[in-house]
Amino acid sequence: MRLLDFIPVKFTFLLIFGILAGHYLNLPPAIPLVLTVIPFLFLTILFVGPYKKNGPLFGMAMSVTVTGIGMLAVCMTQPAHQPNHYSVLEHQHYHRWHLKIREVLKSGFSGRRYVAEVHRLDNHVTQGRILLEVAADSLIPDLKVDEELLVGGTLSEIMPPLNPGQFDYKDYLKELGIYHRLLPGSGAIHPMGVPGATVLGMAGRLRATIILRLEDSGLRGDELDIVKALLLGERKDMRAGLYEAYQDAGAVHILAVSGLHIGIILMILKFLLAPLRRLPYGKTAELILIVILLWAFALLAGFSASVVRAVTMFTFLAYALFLNRPGNTYNIVALSMFFILLLINPMLLFQAGFQMSYAAVIAIIWGYPGIQALWTPKYLLLQKAWQLTAVSLAAQLGVFPISLYYFHQFPALFFLSNLLIIPFLGLILGLGISLIVLALFQKLPEILTNLYQEIINMMNQVILWLAEREAFLFRDIIFDRVHLLLSYFLVFLVLRSLSRISSGSVILFLAGIVAFQMWSLYLTLNLRAEERILIFHQSANTVILEQTSGRLKIHTTDSLASLPLVKNYAVSAAIGQMDFAPLENHYQVNGMRLLLLDSTGISFPPGLKTDILMLTQSPRIHLQRYLDSLRPQLVIADGSNYRSYIHRWQKTCSENKQRFYYTGHQGAMDLQLVRSMDISH
């Protein structure tokens, strides 16, 4: 079976190609518009005229049209091409913003965070989404979805990562269409209530009611958090240790409402609604009810991206089952992907969840039959266990490269965790939905609540036991985009060989293994050959990294606090050995001397040659005297200093036309680049 024999598959590939081209080329709207309209007009002429509908000209015109549609879809998501977007107006200064809360995010140390729609900028009707941050000490009560506010404040850019190897939160929000943040001052937020309720807001209030009723019924703690994640799509309040345990056990996908959950719910609904098929038009009624109930569940789960794409895909599957054509699964997957990317948001293509979801589904469709055929157990129990293992293996083959690329870890016990939990997931979901319905009508018996709590507790205990097997969890794996492409080439050959093995496939597989190893060797040698000294930014801590010959020496005042930052950098730089050491008073970099001045106030001899003066731990000094005495080329201040000190030092350096670098604004400093840097005062 050739994938490109299916027209929806062809269209989806072309649409993806267009989205990628539009995203990376960043073309003005006129170009994709021309690439869409002209071939479409040509298609119309070919279609109505006496020409072959399957000729090469028709195929070429169709290909260019679909590619142009993908490019145009991406182009129209950019704020610069949306005439009513707030960013096309003057938005850099203080303004009054009319906002509507769209999503409640997990709170951070600094305060509560929300995704808000912009309805007005002063007197201008606008659109767009921003990140609203309410300070932790604010007296404003927790905001709800659909609540509208008048907020006074100044927008600021989302900060990029300040250190190499850190998660790029700015890029992540950009994929969601969020480009700015608003941190209003005290008294600048004026709630307006809920003037215009939407289905999302009503769903949010329904979820809040469900949670209250479940709490009243006796469900508490980790068990309640699991129910909220499994059935309501809410993970923001989950205890960090529990979530990490699911990650380490390779079962974190269970906590995200996605294709696995929707597929199980579809099977439950088909079983419960099977009697309808005996009635006239019963199959049609069954299909309509299934689709309505699936989308009702998506609404209850908050219409998150993972839920919407899963329900869309299984809506197509339900229709295919209604037509008695369940085998044409490639068309179903391709059509669901096509409509999700075209009608909902083409930028979903760049999100890890979207990629992993479809990679798993495609791998199951393609690889499960071949894997299952490798062994035919005699006993029914073994058959069912092997079928489940085959599904899990196929799915993991699909998501394994993406998982390594984004998370750089591999839980080797994922087979066992899936084998132990997934068979009971249908029971957990079915019983959980029954619990919610009974709780809403306040008819939930205590014995059922206790039983369900025990089931969830047993699942958590299994996960915690698996997560504690540290020997089977491989962390900090070096894996870049080239590794990703080569890995999928190997996965493709493995899945292809399950149905048809040939000498050519074996040769290509071995060549792929060699290419993978050669690239890993090149990457390791190339990155480890670098020698550099980096000054990282971390609040209340000083972190200086010395990288030499594949080793990392970390000079810091708090090794425990710096460990996550350092490990992320070590993975990105292919460094396997790290050592911690105390801070020193001076360092030599490329023939330049760096002097470190901390709160101990160590004095240096007058006239000492100093190229770089680093201020750390908020030293109480008169900076002007040190500038006159040491005459450094550059003054650096890291994140361990008080902000008030930073502002005072910056002013002093500006008055002396002295180069000043603050890691909190400009990010980590690579001292190898000091001579070539043009640092503003």
Side-chain angles (χ1 to χ4, degrees):
M1 182 188 300
R2 296 176 58 187
L3 280 178
L4 294 180
D5 288 341
F6 301 109
I7 292 177
V9 174
K10 291 179 184 178
F11 279 5
T12 303
F13 274 124
L14 291 169
L15 184 73
I16 290 173
F17 177 74
I19 291 172
L20 291 172
H23 177 69
Y24 289 110
L25 296 178
N26 196 22
L27 300 172
I31 294 177
L33 189 62
V34 168
L35 289 174
T36 303
V37 173
I38 292 180
F40 181 76
L41 292 175
F42 185 64
L43 270 176
T44 305
I45 295 171
L46 290 176
F47 190 79
V48 300
Y51 304 101
K52 290 184 177 180
K53 305 302 184 291
N54 58 351
L57 286 177
F58 190 88
M60 288 176 61
M62 182 64 76
S63 299
V64 176
T65 301
V66 177
T67 303
I69 289 173
M71 297 171 69
L72 189 61
V74 170
C75 190
M76 298 314 296
T77 63
Q78 304 305 310
H81 305 142
Q82 299 173 20
N84 291 329
H85 199 274
Y86 71 85
S87 62
V88 302
L89 301 172
E90 196 287 309
H91 61 279
Q92 302 297 329
H93 300 93
Y94 186 94
H95 293 282
R96 290 189 65 80
W97 302 84
H98 179 185
L99 306 177
K100 190 180 185 76
I101 302 299
R102 273 287 163 246
E103 186 178 351
V104 181
L105 302 178
K106 187 171 185 177
S107 299
F109 292 109
S110 58
R112 293 163 284 161
R113 300 181 302 158
Y114 306 89
V115 174
E117 279 183 358
V118 180
H119 283 192
R120 281 182 177 273
L121 190 164
D122 295 330
N123 295 321
H124 301 281
V125 177
T126 59
Q127 64 183 44
R129 307 172 90 199
I130 62 171
L131 182 67
L132 175 66
E133 299 187 3
V134 180
D137 58 355
S138 173
L139 298 178
I140 297 294
D142 290 343
L143 302 174
K144 305 292 190 297
V145 174
D146 275 352
E147 194 163 351
E148 296 190 18
L149 318 162
L150 281 178
V151 181
T154 304
L155 287 187
S156 59
E157 297 279 345
I158 307 291
M159 287 290 290
L162 293 173
N163 301 303
Q166 270 188 294
F167 173 68
D168 194 340
Y169 191 54
K170 178 178 181 177
D171 190 57
Y172 169 75
L173 290 179
K174 182 180 176 182
E175 292 170 355
L176 301 177
I178 301 171
Y179 299 86
H180 295 90
R181 62 194 283 263
L182 181 61
L183 183 60
S186 176
I189 301 178
H190 304 284
M192 300 170 59
V194 189
T198 64
V199 289
L200 283 178
M202 289 186 287
R205 288 188 288 279
L206 178 60
R207 286 199 302 275
T209 302
I210 290 170
I211 292 169
L212 285 175
R213 296 285 170 82
L214 290 174
E215 288 176 344
D216 292 340
S217 69
L219 211 56
R220 292 283 191 277
D222 289 345
E223 289 76 19
L224 178 61
D225 288 342
I226 294 297
V227 173
K228 287 160 63 176
L230 283 175
L231 298 166
L232 303 177
E234 292 204 8
R235 293 181 294 171
K236 63 181 184 295
D237 299 324
M238 182 174 291
R239 182 169 59 85
L242 182 62
Y243 185 79
E244 289 170 3
Y246 274 82
Q247 276 185 317
D248 294 345
V252 72
H253 57 283
I254 292 170
L255 299 179
V257 180
S258 59
L260 175 64
H261 303 70
I262 305 301
I264 292 172
I265 290 172
L266 174 61
M267 289 189 292
I268 293 173
L269 289 175
K270 286 193 69 64
F271 174 76
L272 294 176
L273 298 175
L276 287 176
R277 299 171 202 164
R278 301 175 184 176
L279 302 175
Y281 304 104
K283 287 188 65 178
T284 303
E286 179 193 18
L287 173 65
I288 294 171
L289 279 173
I290 284 174
V291 172
I292 290 173
L293 291 172
L294 286 180
W295 283 101
F297 181 79
L299 177 62
L300 185 64
F303 270 134
S304 67
S306 61
V307 174
V308 169
R309 63 174 175 258
V311 172
T312 301
M313 185 172 68
F314 280 98
T315 298
F316 279 96
L317 178 60
Y319 182 65
L321 294 172
F322 169 75
L323 296 176
N324 287 323
R325 289 190 294 179
N328 200 355
T329 47
Y330 293 109
N331 279 338
I332 297 165
V333 174
L335 282 172
S336 67
M337 189 185 301
F338 186 92
F339 282 102
I340 287 170
L341 292 175
L342 184 59
L343 300 179
I344 299 176
N345 186 2
M347 297 305 291
L348 285 173
L349 182 64
F350 303 96
Q351 295 183 14
F354 181 89
Q355 296 165 8
M356 295 180 75
S357 177
Y358 275 98
V361 169
I362 293 169
I364 290 171
I365 293 170
W366 194 10
Y368 168 69
I371 296 174
Q372 186 191 18
L374 293 175
W375 182 40
T376 307
K378 294 181 179 180
Y379 303 104
L380 180 62
L381 185 61
L382 281 177
Q383 288 176 9
K384 297 300 180 183
W386 173 240
Q387 288 173 2
L388 180 63
T389 304
V391 170
S392 179
L393 180 58
Q396 289 297 330
L397 277 174
V399 302
F400 177 67
I402 297 178
S403 180
L404 284 181
Y405 176 70
Y406 284 109
F407 307 114
H408 300 283
Q409 71 174 34
F410 172 62
L413 292 178
F414 72 89
F415 283 117
L416 187 55
S417 62
N418 283 275
L419 192 63
L420 292 174
I421 292 172
I422 290 181
F424 305 101
L425 194 56
L427 173 64
I428 292 170
L429 289 174
L431 193 56
I433 292 172
S434 303
L435 230 70
I436 287 174
V437 173
L438 291 172
L440 281 173
F441 289 99
Q442 296 183 326
K443 300 292 184 181
L444 183 57
E446 184 179 351
I447 187 172
L448 188 59
T449 303
N450 294 337
L451 173 63
Y452 194 69
Q453 190 153 327
E454 282 302 315
I455 293 173
I456 297 295
N457 183 55
M458 286 173 59
M459 181 174 73
N460 287 345
Q461 293 304 316
V462 170
I463 291 297
L464 290 170
W465 182 83
L466 291 171
E468 289 171 357
R469 313 277 80 80
E470 289 284 342
F472 296 94
L473 179 61
F474 303 97
R475 303 179 188 267
D476 305 327
I477 300 171
I478 300 165
F479 207 85
D480 68 353
R481 290 187 180 182
V482 177
H483 286 126
L484 180 67
L485 294 174
L486 289 172
S487 295
Y488 270 116
F489 175 69
L490 294 173
V491 169
F492 166 78
L493 291 174
V494 168
L495 295 179
R496 186 169 177 264
S497 299
L498 290 173
S499 57
R500 184 184 61 190
I501 191 167
S502 64
S503 57
S505 297
V506 174
I507 292 172
L508 284 174
F509 183 80
L510 293 175
I513 291 290
V514 172
F516 189 94
Q517 292 176 330
M518 292 296 291
W519 176 253
S520 298
L521 181 62
Y522 165 77
L523 193 65
T524 302
L525 294 177
N526 187 49
L527 290 174
R528 289 187 177 181
E530 294 184 358
E531 294 190 2
R532 58 204 306 201
I533 294 183
L534 294 164
I535 299 174
F536 269 31
H537 177 82
Q538 188 173 40
S539 297
N541 192 19
T542 297
V543 184
I544 300 177
L545 303 177
E546 278 190 284
Q547 179 181 340
T548 54
S549 304
R551 297 180 62 179
L552 204 59
K553 192 173 183 180
I554 304 106
H555 303 262
T556 179
T557 53
D558 189 342
S559 58
L560 189 61
S562 66
L563 189 59
L565 288 178
V566 173
K567 288 179 69 174
N568 288 337
Y569 175 73
V571 172
S572 65
I575 295 173
Q577 185 172 348
M578 299 186 301
D579 301 302
F580 286 90
L583 289 169
E584 299 176 7
N585 290 327
H586 66 89
Y587 298 87
Q588 289 292 332
V589 187
N590 258 1
M592 298 182 296
R593 182 193 295 272
L594 179 145
L595 294 182
L596 192 145
L597 188 60
D598 59 18
S599 57
T600 58
I602 295 176
S603 59
F604 300 105
L608 179 67
K609 181 183 182 301
T610 304
D611 299 289
I612 304 167
L613 177 63
M614 180 174 171
L615 305 173
T616 178
Q617 303 299 319
S618 303
R620 297 182 178 181
I621 60 169
H622 192 288
L623 182 58
Q624 184 66 56
R625 295 176 183 172
Y626 282 89
L627 295 180
D628 294 337
S629 174
L630 300 176
R631 298 187 179 279
Q633 298 178 24
L634 173 66
V635 176
I636 300 175
D638 68 0
S640 66
N641 298 289
Y642 297 135
R643 291 288 183 90
S644 58
Y645 285 31
I646 298 291
H647 296 318
R648 188 171 70 244
W649 295 335
Q650 194 168 18
K651 182 179 178 182
T652 301
C653 288
S654 179
E655 291 171 351
N656 286 268
K657 297 183 179 180
Q658 169 69 56
R659 295 195 299 173
F660 182 81
Y661 190 100
Y662 174 46
T663 58
H665 288 161
Q666 293 142 297
M669 161 64 82
D670 186 346
L671 295 181
Q672 303 290 74
L673 306 177
V674 168
R675 292 193 186 279
S676 61
M677 291 184 71
D678 180 19
I679 303 170
S680 59
H681 298 159

